[in-house]
Amino acid sequence: IFTPTLHADPSLNVTAVASMFRRSPLCVASLGPLKKGDVIGAHEDTVELLQRIFPEQKIVASPRGSKNTDLLDGTYQGIQAYTTTEVPALHRLMQGRGMDPNGLQFQMLEDGSAVDSAQLGYSQMLFVANESLEGSDRREASTAFLEGTFEGWQHAIRNPDEAIEAVSEAQKMLRLDDESNDHTFDSISFKQEMLGLVNNHVKESFIGDRHGVLHPHRWSKATNWLLQDKKDVDPLFGFDQTNLWQPPSNLLHGNELGRAALEEAKVSALKFAETHGRKPSLAVITVGELSRYGHSKRRVQLYSNPSNSWFTKTDTGKNNGFDVTEINLSEASTTTDDLLSEIYKIRDEVDGVQVMWPLPDSIDSARVFNAVPLAKDVDGIHFTSWGASYPPVTPAAAMELVKEHNVEVKGKHVLVVGRSPIVGAPMAHMLREAGAMVTVAHTDVDKAAFQSLVGQADVVVTCAGDPGAIQASWLKDGVEVINIGTTFCEKADSLLSDIEGDIGSKAARYSPVPGGIGPLSSPMLFRNVAKAAWDQMEEGSASSTWEQEPAALR
C-alpha cells in the first residue's frame, strides 16, 4: 500500500526488490457484524484505503497503542488490526475480561472472495535506493543484505524457539522491551503463536529457491487496483525489473502458480456457496498410517502452512471455502467391506471423494476404487481405465508446470520413472496425449539398462519416491527434469528428490525440491472439487454451471 505514496512522490527514488510477506495481514476486527455507519479506528496513513474498502462505515484515525482496548470498550465498532499480532492479543484480552474469544470477528482487507475484491499485493516490503541497483558493487551489497535477511527468516522458520530468544535479547539490548501498548503480551505462548503466524506469511513468499520473491503478475494486479484512478500507469511501477532477487532462470518453480490456482478455486467455491447455499465438499478416506505422512508436521512447518498444505486438507478447505471430512480407519481392523461401507455412506453427501493411496495389501483396491462414482472422482483414480472428468492431481500439477514454463514435450523422448496408478501411469498417459514419445521405467529395471534410458531422454519425469534412484551424472546434457517423487529425510531435515547430485550441472531446466510440483498438488485437488460441485449442480440449474462460473477456472 506504499505504491500510491511512491507514485505521488517520485523523488523518493526507491524500488521494491523483495517482500517478507506475500499478502497483507491487515484486517478489520470487530465484536460482531459491522453495520452501516459503524466507526472503524484505523492508522492515520490507511484511513483513505479503508474507506475505499468499507464505504458504508466511517473510518477515523485512532491511537495505535490502545486500539484493542478501544475496541473492547466500545470506542470503535471495528479497528484496523494485524492478524499476526493484534488478533492474538485481542483473544487474550478478551479471556482476561471473561469474554469469549470466539466472539471476535475479523475481515481481511484482501480476502480473495471475488475477482474484483481489493488487491493489496505484498506487505513488509524491502526497498532499495535506485542507485543501489546500478553497478556490480552496489548490487552485491544489496544482495548480501537480502541474503542475510532471509537466512534469518529461514532460521526462524526452522528453529522458532531460538529465534524468540534471540529477538528477546536484542530487544533488551536496544531497550525495546518496555513498549507500552495493548497489542503485545510478554509470554512465551503469545510469542510462539505470533511467530508461527508471521512465519506462515514469510513461507508464502518462497519461489524457486528463496523467500521474499516478488512476482510480476501479483505486483501488477495490486498496482492496477491501488492506482486505478490514475492514467497511463505501468503495472510494474515500483517493481525491480533488474532481477536482483529472483530465482535462477533454470528453475521450473511452481509456488506462485499453485497459489494462484488455489485462489481461483476459492473464488469458485465462494461463488458456489453464494449460489447454492452450501460449500463444495470433499471426503478424504485413509486406511492406516501412510509412510509419506510420517513427517507431515515438520514438512508443513518448513515449507507450507495449514491454509494450503496437502497434509492439512481440513484446514486448507476451511480457509478456502470448502467443507472437508477426513475419515481415518485402522489398518488392523478394516476389511474391504468396511471400507466400501464408509464410501457408500459418505459418497452421496459430498461432491468429491478421495481414497488415499496406497491401500493395505489386505484391501481389494479394485473394488474400492470402483465404488467411487466417476462424477465424484476428484483424485482421478479412474483416469487411465474408464477415463475421468477430473485428472489425477499430481500428474495434473506436473502438466500445469510444463505449460507454465513452456517445456516442450511434443515429439520429445520423455522418460517417466515410476508406475503407480495415481502418479506414474496417468503421468505417462497425459504426456502421450501431449504428443510425447514416452518410456516408462522403474527402479526394478536392470541398473545398466535404467541408466541408459535416463541418458537418452530429452525430458525426465521422476515419480519413484526413492532418493538416489537416479544419479545426476546419468542425465543427458540439456535435459529438462520434472521432479515429482520426493522424500523427507529426517537426518538432513529436508526434502530430497529422486535424483542425487547436481542436477543443474546437466539439466537445462529442472523443477526444484522443494518449490516445484509440491505446491501445486493441493490446489489441483481443490480445483477438481470446485469443478465437481458445479458439474453436479448443472442439471438443476443450467445457468449456474462450472463452465459459466467462474470463467477463470474453465
Side-chain angles (χ1 to χ4, degrees):
I1 60 178
F2 180 68
T3 298
T5 301
L6 184 59
H7 186 267
D9 186 4
S11 67
L12 291 170
N13 202 35
V14 295
T15 296
V17 293
S19 180
M20 289 183 272
F21 293 2
R22 178 182 179 270
R23 182 185 297 276
S24 172
L26 281 176
C27 71
V28 166
S30 61
L31 298 180
L34 290 170
K35 302 184 294 295
K36 187 174 182 178
D38 279 349
V39 179
I40 298 174
H43 301 170
E44 184 177 1
D45 57 354
T46 55
V47 169
E48 184 177 346
L49 173 69
L50 263 69
Q51 193 66 74
R52 181 179 170 190
I53 299 173
F54 295 90
E56 294 189 346
Q57 284 74 41
K58 182 180 180 180
I59 314 299
V60 300
S62 60
R64 298 190 182 208
S66 60
K67 62 165 69 176
N68 284 355
T69 303
D70 290 341
L71 174 67
L72 300 184
D73 288 345
T75 304
Y76 308 110
Q77 286 74 56
I79 59 167
Q80 173 186 328
Y82 286 97
T83 56
T84 50
T85 50
E86 286 136 351
V87 169
L90 267 169
H91 286 154
R92 287 164 174 78
L93 282 173
M94 292 174 73
Q95 286 178 322
R97 293 189 179 200
M99 302 168 68
D100 181 6
N102 293 321
L104 182 68
Q105 299 183 13
F106 59 93
Q107 180 177 335
M108 302 303 300
L109 299 195
E110 182 181 353
D111 64 2
S113 61
V115 174
D116 59 353
S117 61
Q119 301 289 330
L120 303 184
Y122 295 91
S123 178
Q124 313 304 310
M125 286 192 295
L126 298 171
F127 292 84
V128 299
N130 290 343
E131 57 263 29
S132 295
L133 297 173
E134 301 169 358
S136 58
D137 290 347
R138 289 179 174 179
R139 289 179 65 85
E140 285 177 12
S142 298
T143 301
F145 171 77
L146 293 172
E147 288 173 345
T149 298
F150 291 106
E151 283 175 10
W153 277 115
Q154 181 64 43
H155 182 78
I157 290 166
R158 288 185 169 275
N159 306 284
D161 289 340
E162 290 182 11
I164 289 170
E165 185 176 352
V167 169
S168 296
E169 287 299 315
Q171 286 177 318
K172 291 176 183 177
M173 291 171 59
L174 299 172
R175 297 182 181 178
L176 297 176
D177 56 341
D178 59 350
E179 291 185 86
S180 178
N181 61 60
D182 64 2
H183 46 265
T184 60
F185 273 76
D186 189 22
S187 71
I188 290 297
S189 66
F190 175 79
K191 293 175 181 178
Q192 288 174 333
E193 181 180 2
M194 180 180 67
L195 182 57
L197 293 168
V198 168
N199 281 344
N200 283 342
H201 275 281
V202 175
K203 285 181 284 185
E204 286 296 285
S205 73
F206 188 90
I207 296 181
D209 65 345
R210 66 194 64 195
H211 294 96
V213 179
L214 300 174
H215 193 278
H217 179 65
R218 178 161 176 76
W219 183 276
S220 297
K221 286 173 64 178
T223 300
N224 289 335
W225 189 87
L226 290 164
L227 299 178
Q228 66 180 238
D229 60 334
K230 311 298 182 185
K231 294 182 178 180
D232 301 322
V233 175
D234 179 358
L236 292 177
F237 170 77
F239 178 91
D240 171 36
Q241 299 182 53
T242 71
N243 296 330
L244 180 74
W245 191 249
Q246 291 291 319
S249 59
N250 66 335
L251 294 186
L252 304 172
H253 45 77
N255 308 90
E256 192 65 17
L257 184 61
R259 293 174 193 127
L262 189 56
E263 287 168 359
E264 291 179 3
K266 179 178 181 177
V267 170
S268 179
L270 295 176
K271 182 64 176 178
F272 181 89
E274 179 185 330
T275 303
H276 297 293
R278 67 172 181 84
K279 299 176 181 179
S281 55
L282 168 69
V284 182
I285 305 174
T286 305
V287 182
E289 299 292 329
L290 301 181
S291 60
R292 66 180 182 277
Y293 277 55
H295 300 95
S296 58
K297 289 184 178 179
R298 185 62 172 167
R299 291 177 68 166
V300 172
Q301 178 187 338
L302 296 182
Y303 305 123
S304 58
N305 66 63
S307 69
N308 59 22
S309 176
W310 180 263
F311 300 107
T312 55
K313 293 192 180 83
T314 297
D315 286 337
T316 298
K318 181 179 179 181
N319 280 279
N320 293 282
F322 297 82
D323 280 331
V324 178
T325 301
E326 296 196 58
I327 301 170
N328 299 295
L329 305 174
S330 166
E331 179 177 352
S333 60
T334 300
T335 65
T336 298
D337 286 339
D338 293 333
L339 180 51
L340 289 171
S341 178
E342 291 291 340
I343 295 173
Y344 295 147
K345 282 190 295 185
I346 196 70
R347 68 182 187 180
D348 292 332
E349 306 298 322
V350 295
D351 298 302
V353 176
Q354 181 184 39
V355 179
M356 297 302 292
W357 177 271
L359 292 169
D361 292 339
S362 59
I363 300 292
D364 185 337
S365 59
R367 288 182 63 198
V368 169
F369 290 147
N370 284 336
V372 178
L374 285 172
K376 299 175 187 285
D377 178 18
V378 293
D379 203 19
I381 54 178
H382 298 299
F383 185 77
T384 56
S385 51
W386 300 98
S389 300
Y390 318 109
V393 296
T394 301
M399 294 306 292
E400 285 283 324
L401 197 74
V402 164
K403 180 181 178 182
E404 174 72 9
H405 291 280
N406 298 311
V407 176
E408 184 60 61
V409 296
K410 186 176 182 179
K412 301 292 184 179
H413 179 195
V414 180
L415 175 67
V416 176
V417 181
R419 51 182 171 169
S420 78
I422 60 168
V423 182
M427 186 78 258
H429 180 83
M430 289 181 184
L431 288 164
R432 290 191 191 99
E433 290 291 304
M437 182 182 74
V438 179
T439 301
V440 177
H442 49 82
T443 53
D444 291 336
V445 172
D446 172 76
K447 184 175 180 180
F450 183 37
Q451 180 175 343
S452 176
L453 288 172
V454 172
Q456 295 170 27
D458 302 311
V459 179
V460 175
V461 183
T462 68
C463 319
D466 181 8
I470 301 170
Q471 295 298 311
S473 59
W474 300 352
L475 297 168
K476 181 169 74 171
D477 288 336
V479 69
E480 299 201 276
V481 177
I482 308 295
N483 283 304
I484 296 179
T486 61
T487 306
F488 190 84
C489 174
E490 188 170 357
K491 183 177 180 181
D493 196 29
S494 65
L495 276 178
L496 303 179
S497 79
D498 290 341
I499 302 180
E500 185 175 69
D502 184 4
I503 304 176
S505 66
K506 302 286 285 187
R509 295 189 296 174
Y510 65 97
S511 62
V513 175
I517 300 298
L520 282 159
S521 294
S522 186
M524 294 299 103
L525 173 64
F526 283 97
R527 186 163 75 173
N528 282 354
V529 175
K531 188 175 188 302
W534 284 104
D535 285 348
Q536 288 168 63
M537 295 302 293
E538 181 177 3
E539 191 173 315
S541 179
S543 64
S544 299
T545 68
W546 167 261
E547 291 299 328
Q548 294 179 342
E549 300 191 39
L553 286 181
R554 286 178 183 171

